Amino acid sequence: MGHRLRRLLMVATMTAVAVGLAPASSPATGAEGIDDAVRLNQVQVVGSHNSYHLAAPKGESDLRRQFVGAEEDKLQYTHVPLDQQFAHQKVRQIELDVFNDAQGGRYATPLIRVATNGGPYDPAMRRPGVKVLHIQDVDYHSNCLTLIACLTTVKAWSDANPSHLPLAILVELKDTPLDLGGFDFVTPEPFDTAALDALDAEIRRVFGEDRTIDPDDIRGSHDTLEEAVLSDGWPTLAESRGKVLFLMDNGGLYRDRYRQGHPNLEGRALFTNSTPGQPDAAFVKMNEPVGREAAIADLVRKGYLVRTRADANTQQARSGDTTMRDAAFRSGAQWVSTDYPVADYARPFGTNYVVEVPGGTVARCNPVNAPAVCRDAPLDTIYSPPPAPPPTVASPTVTSPTGPPAGSGAAPPSPAAEPVAGPARFTG
């Protein structure tokens, strides 16, 4: 449904309310009546970085450290399954690293698993389809092994909680060869145009058009996506609850390929990481908020969606420094990503570092652009405390990737979020 048509339907609904033909508010907002006044870009939530990632078993971790030294610390973080992040950690944005595997089996026998006698890997890795992992052969454990499996988990939770705020899924395309010196690592399949089409198809396979917010919905009758964002803006919460939107982490060549034949993202599933002034500009990734706080706030005021990060490389968890986190929240970026959505993750480092929406709610009214009618508490009330303590950094032990995660608490890669390149540097 086009954005203009949705807006007309919203006006008709509000008119019906005025004459007593419809209820005045949804169950999710109670008496606050904010759903028709607040738009999806006017709230702020916490996201998780590399949301699928599981810490490696001790044998694999020890072997990696022999070659990369302290760089191994960056890989010692674990996330609970995606639905648990939504339910128990107030997360409303996730990140998935994806690898093209058109024929299947390319990532079915990780080199480090063979070297540590890890035994047979999950047979799901032998079937064709997009896979979800961090670094081929080296750091491959995931709480959902395929894109279809990850999205199916998200959809099941969404189906059970239809009043949730829109969930954003950041997708990073990985196809860079790994060079750690003298090892026969698998060479990833490139994300060419055909692979990008297949990626869209897998997304559509799980989420139909009625459950997604995609570029066609936002562009409507405008000439460009950016024109629509800057003039009409984004859908209201009433139009967005229970839906998901997909974002591309990569820029450059990946963005260019994705736009071939789709200059305004016509028919595409993902919003590209673009630059203001470009026809596809609607989402901008700005991972470093310190020193760029005003620039992010300016983008948010104009109508763009922005993702930033609150921490990187375990520095904040180890020191307790909240400078980056606080700048991220002040900037108004709609998604503030972290590896520490609960305080227990950083306590093994001796700090109480945690990234929560100020005030402790699932979401808050955006400090830069929310309307006066907005109230934090009723934005999203779907949360319950975790049923068990989260994993810890010390002495990590991890079950099979198909089971519940355990292991270390956190150690995020570089905020650049680019594929691995060169020896002894784990990023993305």
Side-chain angles (χ1 to χ4, degrees), residues 92-323:
R92 291 296 181 267
Q93 179 257 311
I94 59 173
E95 178 183 1
L96 303 175
D97 290 345
V98 298
F99 286 74
N100 182 26
D101 191 15
Q103 302 304 314
R106 184 171 290 261
Y107 308 102
T109 54
L111 189 61
I112 197 169
R113 188 181 186 91
V114 174
T116 56
N117 299 312
Y121 197 22
D122 195 301
M125 299 300 286
R126 296 196 173 277
R127 295 190 282 271
V130 177
K131 303 301 188 296
V132 176
L133 61 144
H134 188 217
I135 306 171
Q136 66 272 24
D137 283 317
V138 172
D139 188 36
Y140 61 93
H141 295 283
S142 174
N143 59 42
C144 50
L145 301 178
T146 69
L147 180 60
I148 292 292
C150 294
L151 298 186
T152 298
T153 296
V154 174
K155 186 173 184 297
W157 184 86
S158 178
D159 288 345
N161 300 277
S163 66
H164 67 77
L165 285 176
L167 304 174
I169 301 176
L170 183 68
V171 178
E172 182 174 357
L173 312 175
K174 293 277 190 93
D175 62 6
T176 302
L178 179 63
D179 179 13
L180 291 178
F183 293 98
D184 187 20
F185 295 115
V186 66
T187 300
E189 292 184 69
F191 269 101
D192 54 19
T193 302
L196 293 171
D197 290 343
L199 177 68
D200 275 1
E202 290 205 7
I203 291 173
R204 305 288 194 203
R205 177 178 161 189
V206 178
F207 286 98
E209 292 184 5
D210 62 326
R211 296 294 300 279
T212 60
I213 300 167
D214 59 32
D216 285 340
D217 291 327
I218 303 305
R219 190 179 58 258
S221 60
H222 288 278
D223 291 335
T224 70
L225 181 59
E226 182 181 57
E227 179 184 308
V229 166
L230 299 184
S231 58
D232 289 354
W234 295 87
T236 64
L237 299 187
E239 299 169 304
S240 306
R241 290 194 183 276
K243 295 185 178 182
V244 298
L245 65 160
F246 291 85
L247 316 167
M248 181 185 290
D249 181 275
N250 314 70
L253 179 62
Y254 299 95
R255 168 181 168 262
D256 293 342
R257 286 177 184 165
Y258 195 67
R259 292 179 62 227
Q260 287 178 10
H262 313 263
N264 284 288
L265 304 180
E266 296 90 344
R268 285 304 199 184
L270 288 83
F271 291 92
T272 45
N273 171 21
S274 189
T275 304
Q278 296 298 309
D280 61 322
F283 162 63
V284 181
K285 182 187 72 173
M286 295 184 71
N287 280 343
E288 177 53 72
V290 176
R292 306 178 78 184
E293 188 177 329
I296 294 174
D298 183 60
L299 291 174
V300 171
R301 288 189 189 96
K302 289 177 178 176
Y304 300 100
L305 293 174
V306 181
R307 180 259 196 174
T308 193
R309 288 188 64 179
D311 42 71
N313 297 327
T314 75
Q315 295 175 5
Q316 290 75 17
R318 294 177 187 275
S319 67
D321 183 9
T322 63
T323 302

Side-chain angles (χ1 to χ4, degrees), residues 22-107:
S25 60
S26 70
T29 60
E32 299 291 335
I34 64 173
D35 269 22
D36 290 322
V38 179
R39 298 181 179 275
L40 74 83
N41 64 313
Q42 295 174 329
V43 300
Q44 188 176 60
V45 298
V46 166
S48 58
H49 164 258
N50 287 355
S51 313
Y52 58 88
H53 188 266
L54 297 179
K58 188 176 186 301
E60 292 182 10
S61 178
D62 289 347
L63 180 59
R64 286 192 309 228
R65 192 175 293 277
Q66 293 179 32
F67 293 93
V68 301
E71 287 288 307
E72 171 61 19
D73 294 342
K74 297 180 181 180
L75 302 182
Q76 294 179 347
Y77 63 102
T78 287
H79 284 295
V80 297
L82 303 178
D83 52 353
Q84 293 184 29
Q85 294 180 45
F86 300 142
H88 306 308
Q89 297 183 347
K90 305 177 185 176
V91 167
R92 291 296 181 267
Q93 179 257 311
I94 59 173
E95 178 183 1
L96 303 175
D97 290 345
V98 298
F99 286 74
N100 182 26
D101 191 15
Q103 302 304 314
R106 184 171 290 261
Y107 308 102

